[in-house]
Amino acid sequence: MRFSICAAIVFIFIHSPVFSQEYSFSDNDKYVLVIHGGAGTLLPGKMSAEKERAYRDKLTEALSAGYEKIKNGGQSLDAVTAAITVMEDSPLFNAGKGAVMTHEGKNELDASIMDGATQDAGAVAGITTVKNPILAARSVMEKSGHVMLSGPGAEHFAESQGLEIVAPEYFWTERRWENLQRVLEKDSAQVELDHDEKQTFSPPVVDNIDDKFGTVGAVARDKKGSLAAGTSTGGMNNKRFGRIGDSPIIGAGNYANNQVAISCTGWGEFYIRTVAAYNVASQMKLLGLSVEEASENVIEEIGNLGGTGGMIALDKDGNYATPFNTAGMYRGTVNEKGEIKVEIFK
Ligand code: ASP
């Protein structure tokens, strides 16, 4: 009798939702961080050695910043925000300091973050004065009681949380201004993304430049096996009418649960229409696919619709995939041994 009561208690404990939520991770030391700095047609011959070195160095710096967090027992969320903050502070990427411009010559930033263990999420859209949008997204998740805040309200909230506020001009860069002027001279209605060479969409049509998708993102697994995903972007060059892409939309440009974490880069409208990030998680859960199979399926679906881009996806066991249907994607990984790998081209 006593034995059967004990067995019943153990059975209830093992099968309770709390147990499966907190302890279903494989509890080993395999921790890993994967980042991206945007997908696009990055042709090896068209990039100067100096420019390539600058990108590789900055990706390495972002990986190191995230690695330090998880190595010292920090959460995957800490690694994600540390890595993304480094990229937001660099003019190389279309996020934070390097954000592309709106039709009016302004910078409107979007970001999101998700905690896989709790499925808490936070996002900001169309903000112009918060130095690090990913930190604003994290504050929304942890302090606001909401998931997504936009525009002046989001800025007001970020300021109330003590985040660094800058003048909108902080985000202005010569390079992005010239990118905007080039598009405006050709066709003021044209919209384009960072890091891409040639697009065939109509509309919008995109011309020959070597950089169009430049959104940044990170996915991480910490020592406890918890996953997190974050994404930050300036959106599309010459965007108008308060356009918001996939990056701040949970399930489209960013998603994490206790099985997988995903961050996307590419033509946002296609990622929204395919619910890209959640689509990967669903295919893994419902079809039993691996992280590679599921993420490649979704990139293929985006390609079939005429969209381009890529994503990074990391599963609970530390397996990851970085599929893209463009010629390249800025990306990198660091594992539990501190081994860093950075890649740009196919
Ligand atoms: N996905 C982003 C957007 O559509 C752009 C990018 O990835 O660079 O806003």
Side-chain angles (χ1 to χ4, degrees), residues 15 23 29 33 61 71 82 95 104 115 136 138 183 186 202 206-207 254 270 274 307 321 327 330 339 345:
H15 289 87
Y23 300 102
D29 278 341
L33 168 69
E61 187 185 329
K71 187 182 84 173
E104 294 77 24
D115 179 355
R138 186 162 177 180
V183 178
K186 217 169 341 144
S202 179
V206 175
D207 68 343
N254 199 70
F270 292 92
T274 55
Y330 295 108
E339 295 163 342
F345 311 107

Side-chain angles (χ1 to χ4, degrees), residues 94 193 213-215 233 235 243 245-247 265-266 268:
N94 174 19
L193 294 127
F213 302 140
T215 291
T233 190
R243 180 263 185 192
D246 61 310
S247 306
T265 169

Side-chain angles (χ1 to χ4, degrees), residues 40-256:
T41 307
L42 311 154
L43 300 172
K46 295 201 77 180
M47 186 182 275
S48 70
E50 194 181 64
K51 193 172 172 190
E52 185 177 336
R53 173 58 34 217
Y55 275 103
R56 286 185 182 277
D57 287 351
K58 195 50 75 175
L59 290 167
T60 301
E61 187 185 329
L63 287 165
S64 304
Y67 175 74
E68 279 305 306
K69 297 287 179 192
I70 25 184
K71 187 182 84 173
N72 296 321
Q75 291 178 282
S76 49
L77 281 173
D78 300 328
V80 162
T81 45
I84 291 180
T85 300
V86 168
M87 294 188 279
E88 285 181 339
D89 289 345
S90 164
L92 292 174
F93 306 97
N94 174 19
K97 178 66 187 160
V100 297
M101 292 185 182
T102 65
H103 184 69
E104 294 77 24
K106 295 181 178 160
N107 306 95
E108 293 176 357
L109 313 169
D110 308 325
S112 64
I113 194 161
M114 189 156 185
D115 179 355
T118 59
Q119 285 184 245
D120 285 340
V124 287
I127 60 173
T128 60
T129 60
V130 183
K131 182 165 178 266
N132 292 107
I134 193 68
L135 300 181
R138 186 162 177 180
S139 285
V140 170
M141 177 177 80
E142 292 175 340
K143 308 273 176 49
S144 76
H146 300 292
V147 169
M148 185 188 264
L149 301 181
S150 68
E155 291 164 359
H156 179 71
F157 172 75
E159 191 169 3
S160 75
Q161 296 303 309
L163 296 188
E164 189 171 348
I165 302 299
V166 291
E169 295 72 41
Y170 163 81
F171 298 105
W172 192 96
T173 58
E174 184 83 39
R175 171 188 171 205
R176 298 308 191 183
W177 176 251
E178 282 168 10
N179 286 355
L180 177 64
Q181 300 316 308
R182 179 179 39 70
V183 178
L184 290 178
E185 275 163 27
K186 217 169 341 144
D187 175 0
S188 69
Q190 183 178 319
V191 183
E192 68 173 28
L193 294 127
D194 204 24
H195 293 328
D196 214 5
E197 176 95 1
K198 206 177 259 172
Q199 301 287 343
T200 51
F201 305 124
S202 179
V205 178
V206 175
D207 68 343
N208 283 8
I209 49 169
D210 69 355
D211 50 359
K212 295 241 178 24
F213 302 140
T215 291
V216 305
V219 290
R221 179 190 192 280
D222 60 31
K223 286 181 176 178
K224 288 185 181 154
S226 295
L227 299 170
T231 307
S232 179
T233 190
M236 294 168 72
N237 186 23
N238 196 29
K239 67 185 180 182
R240 288 205 264 183
F241 314 122
R243 180 263 185 192
I244 305 289
D246 61 310
S247 306
I249 299 179
I250 299 301
N254 199 70
Y255 185 75

